[in-house]
Amino acid sequence: MDPFEDTLRRLRETFHAGRTRPAEFRAAQLRGLGRFLQENKQLLHDSLAQDLHKATQLDSAFIRKEPFGLVLIIAPWNYPLNLTLVPLVGALAAGNCVVLKPSEISKNVEKVLAEALPRYVDQSCFAVVLGGPQETGQLLEHRFDYIFFTGSPRVGKIVMTAAAKHLTPVTLELGGKNPCYVDDNCDPQTVANRVAWFRYFNAGQTCVAPDYVLCSPEMQERLLPALQSTITRFYGDDPQSSPNLGRIINQKQFQRLQALLGCGRVAIGGQSDESDRYIAPTVLVDVQETEPVMQEEIFGPILPIVNVRSVDEAIEFINRREKPLALYAFSNSSQVVKRVLTQTSSGGFCGNDGFMHMTLASLPFGGVGASGMGRYHGKFSFDTFCHHRACLLRSPGMEKLNALRYPPQSPRRLRVLLVAMETRGCSCTLL
Ligand code: NAD
């Protein structure tokens, strides 16, 4: 019998039912905490005195953003320049020293980063190290002050386990399956343009690409010809000869993706050519949830469509799975978009478009749950690579003022102390 099970289940049920979301609910809880302190003042005084003999006072304070020290940045292969340089900017801007470990798979960019980049950054604070899983594993045995990892959830766990040995804080920018809900109340051609653009961009090898579409069978019927027309317009009658379509990074990834083409039924595309690492922009229908294409992150130019009967069913489908890095909802009804937004959780969200939310430096970028932890881009990069040091500076003089807080305590002193705190607007507690 697990003594915690009932309590944890009850709290999770409350959370999933959305009870804690409304602002009034949260304000009511905080008012409750205030009342708790007010109504139990004497009881708390007595119990604090019994436990700790304690009373403290907060003063004015400031946050000093300080570099962590030695930072390790580990990058993947799919945007090998962007995903190394963008974190690097934040780490250097904050004043850290950096070890950069690019992906060994995008070997040409790795070479440029190793050979050319050190000429542009002071080598006393910066180093590029090379290697695959084995070398990275060895690197991770060392102590770093911060680790910023971008890659798969599988390797994210390895990185976090290694970091835990030294209590090193981490940012994990991971992947997963990003749902894309398409409501019946949509213009199929507009949706097809936007979905195809961001699904087939970089041959689908994008962490925030829509991994699958959720829509009704009726919308699927309208969407398929629209997707076909978009694909032809974007890449021509023979997408393999199009200069606008990327290739799969290597043979291993190609073979993995080729196997996924066997799931469900090919409605559009489906062709592949191993010698060219080419996979046609593909749409799959009649896909079962248990098939590999719905179990693993696709990371290629394949778009399965899964049928749902309503927005409720789509939300339920999404919430049954790990929290995604990005979530998309298309509808002419802002109510529907808002429902998907408020009743789900994901690293980022975009209504009626693809991954445009991640292009804005004013928005943080990062995952939640299985899609990662931490955030960066713009100011958030700087903050990620800083320790937010809480500081208090006091005058060495005016010791008489301090006498109030020194023992022995008396009810009169306490009253004066409380008045002093109120007039200074401190949200100080006695605890
Ligand atoms: P990966 O996890 O295989 O590799 C990432 C990095 O980890 C590489 O530098 C690699 O050398 C290193 N690595 C691999 N195996 C390791 C091991 N056993 N021990 C230690 N280090 C190891 O990821 P990938 O294949 O390069 O990239 C694809 C994944 O990255 C996808 O899941 C994608 O969604 C994700 N991704 C996420 C983001 C994001 O911003 N959230 C961006 C791009 C890619």
Side-chain angles (χ1 to χ4, degrees):
M1 174 79 180
D2 182 340
F4 308 117
E5 200 177 316
D6 286 348
T7 310
L8 298 185
R9 187 185 320 112
R10 180 170 57 78
L11 297 181
R12 272 207 186 282
E13 279 170 7
T14 304
F15 183 76
H16 288 309
R19 275 208 77 202
T20 56
R21 301 290 177 96
E24 312 84 71
F25 180 90
R26 288 180 275 153
Q29 306 320 302
L30 298 185
R31 281 196 298 274
L33 285 183
R35 279 202 316 281
F36 161 76
L37 290 175
Q38 210 59 43
E39 293 171 12
N40 296 281
K41 212 186 251 177
Q42 193 54 50
L43 188 62
L44 289 167
H45 275 306
D46 294 347
S47 44
L48 276 167
Q50 281 161 11
D51 284 346
L52 295 159
H53 295 264
K54 186 172 180 180
T56 61
Q57 178 184 345
L58 292 184
D59 211 325
S60 60
F62 61 93
I63 298 168
R64 197 177 131 87
K65 294 184 183 177
E66 297 183 342
F68 280 104
L70 181 59
V71 166
L72 171 63
I73 296 176
I74 303 177
W77 51 262
N78 62 324
Y79 292 91
L81 202 52
N82 180 293
L83 295 172
T84 46
L85 295 191
V86 176
L88 181 62
V89 167
L92 292 178
N96 294 286
C97 292
V98 181
V99 172
L100 184 66
K101 211 302 286 175
S103 172
E104 74 289 3
I105 291 175
S106 41
K107 49 184 183 298
N108 297 299
V109 175
E110 181 198 41
K111 188 164 184 283
V112 177
L113 289 171
E115 289 175 5
L117 187 57
R119 294 206 295 272
Y120 296 86
V121 184
D122 189 325
Q123 289 195 44
S124 67
C125 75
F126 174 75
V128 178
V129 301
L130 305 181
Q134 198 192 338
E135 293 79 2
T136 314
Q138 209 178 338
L139 183 64
L140 282 167
E141 284 170 18
H142 294 268
R143 185 191 195 105
F144 291 93
D145 300 304
Y146 200 91
I147 300 178
F148 186 101
F149 170 80
T150 307
S152 61
R154 182 185 67 82
V155 181
K157 287 178 192 169
I158 295 173
V159 170
M160 196 166 170
T161 305
K165 290 201 183 113
H166 302 290
L167 289 179
T168 299
V170 291
T171 290
L172 299 179
E173 295 284 343
L174 310 178
K177 292 184 82 62
N178 305 313
C180 177
Y181 173 65
V182 181
D183 189 32
D184 282 349
N185 181 9
C186 272
D187 170 36
Q189 195 57 66
T190 305
V191 176
N193 293 344
R194 297 181 189 185
V195 171
W197 180 69
F198 66 95
R199 167 74 284 188
Y200 303 125
F201 190 90
N202 200 28
Q205 300 164 116
T206 304
C207 57
V208 281
D211 195 86
Y212 58 94
V213 162
L214 290 169
C215 70
S216 69
E218 295 74 31
M219 178 41 91
Q220 178 178 307
E221 287 314 300
R222 297 165 68 206
L223 207 50
L224 284 175
L227 279 166
Q228 178 64 77
S229 135
T230 300
I231 290 168
T232 308
R233 198 163 8 95
F234 285 2
Y235 309 111
D237 289 328
D238 175 20
Q240 189 167 5
S241 60
S242 165
N244 296 306
L245 191 71
R247 291 297 183 265
I248 307 308
I249 181 81
N250 58 23
Q251 236 54 37
K252 187 176 162 206
Q253 291 294 329
F254 175 88
Q255 280 158 11
R256 182 184 64 79
L257 288 163
Q258 202 180 34
L260 296 184
L261 291 173
C263 300
R265 177 170 65 80
V266 172
I268 299 173
Q271 302 82 3
S272 59
D273 177 351
E274 186 157 7
S275 64
D276 190 22
R277 286 180 278 115
Y278 164 76
I279 299 220
T282 296
V283 179
L284 300 175
V285 293
D286 301 339
V287 171
Q288 300 303 311
E289 218 185 313
T290 48
E291 289 184 276
V293 79
M294 285 307 295
Q295 294 294 320
E296 61 185 76
E297 180 181 4
I298 297 173
F299 225 55
I302 302 172
L303 182 69
I305 300 182
V306 175
N307 289 146
V308 286
R309 283 181 300 274
S310 64
V311 63
D312 288 319
E313 197 179 317
I315 290 169
E316 196 263 330
F317 188 96
I318 293 164
N319 288 340
R320 244 190 299 133
R321 297 168 156 260
E322 297 287 11
K323 292 180 182 177
L325 183 59
L327 204 161
Y328 305 101
F330 286 82
S331 177
N332 289 336
S333 158
S334 56
Q335 292 300 324
V336 170
V337 173
K338 200 169 161 198
R339 265 185 74 191
V340 179
L341 169 63
T342 56
Q343 294 182 17
T344 58
S345 175
S346 61
F349 180 90
C350 189
N352 288 311
D353 208 346
F355 41 61
M356 297 310 291
H357 63 290
M358 65 158 288
T359 63
L360 305 180
S362 55
L363 291 180
F365 176 69
V368 59
S371 57
M373 60 186 69
R375 60 208 64 79
Y376 75 129
H377 285 192
K379 167 188 180 300
F380 304 98
S381 292
F382 184 83
D383 284 346
T384 284
F385 286 104
C386 286
H387 165 55
H388 295 214
R389 191 176 182 189
C391 301
L392 179 72
L393 291 181
R394 305 211 73 200
S395 158
M398 296 189 292
E399 181 58 3
K400 278 200 173 136
L401 283 179
N402 287 340
L404 273 177
R405 63 184 186 178
Y406 296 147
Q409 295 297 349
S410 71
R412 190 185 147 273
R413 276 190 171 194
L414 194 56
R415 275 199 301 278
V416 176
L417 199 59
L418 287 171
V419 169
M421 277 163 25
E422 269 167 30
T423 51
R424 300 182 58 210
C426 293
S427 55
C428 176
T429 97
L430 290 172
L431 306 178

